[in-house]
Amino acid sequence: MQPTVLLIDDNAVQAATRQTILKRAGYFVIPALNPQRALEQFRANEFPAVIDLVITDHIMPGMTGAEFVRELRTFAPTLPVLVISGMEEAEDEYVDLNVNFRLKPLLPDNLLASVHQLIHPGNGGEKRDIA
């Protein structure tokens, strides 16, 4: 069964690029441009599959990644979350939120290694082939 990744990024180009990388690696990707809508879908159980990992941007209109994760943690305290940001100081906002924080630019191999580690913890951190 394909692991399912919810990808939240208000930048459609970055989201599409990451979605392509993840799909080629065998993940089922659900893109979301709006973090508030993604939270509504979580609460209403509207996703077509169980979410195994959330990848979110930090700076988005209406709600930051940290605000999104704080809200998410109220009903999904252990769901793996990968935060990708171009702002190193943003990491401070995620203290005690149980996330994996990565700085942009995040190369495809590093993205896939982080995703694999979060979805398959303790599995030796082996990378998936992109082919």
Side-chain angles (χ1 to χ4, degrees), residues 8 28 36 39 41 57-58 103:
I8 305 168
F28 176 59
Q36 292 99 329
L39 286 169
Q41 288 176 284
D57 191 17
H58 173 66
L103 281 173

Side-chain angles (χ1 to χ4, degrees), residues 31-73:
L33 297 174
N34 182 309
Q36 292 99 329
R37 177 70 185 120
L39 286 169
E40 290 168 12
Q41 288 176 284
F42 259 117
R43 287 193 182 103
N45 200 20
E46 291 178 356
F47 293 117
V50 173
I51 304 298
D52 296 300
L53 169 69
V54 174
I55 299 175
T56 185
D57 191 17
H58 173 66
I59 298 292
M60 296 177 285
M63 176 180 272
T64 67
E67 291 166 335
F68 168 82
V69 174
R70 267 188 223 101
E71 194 65 33
L72 179 70
R73 288 294 180 235

Side-chain angles (χ1 to χ4, degrees), residues 65-106:
E67 291 166 335
F68 168 82
V69 174
R70 267 188 223 101
E71 194 65 33
L72 179 70
R73 288 294 180 235
T74 64
F75 58 88
T78 61
L79 181 66
V81 175
L82 173 62
V83 177
I84 302 172
S85 176
M87 301 169 47
E88 190 172 344
E89 63 276 13
E91 189 170 6
D92 296 343
E93 295 183 44
Y94 296 90
V95 172
D96 296 329
L97 289 178
N98 187 25
V99 304
N100 192 317
F101 187 90
R102 294 286 180 263
L103 281 173
K104 292 179 188 175
L106 189 61

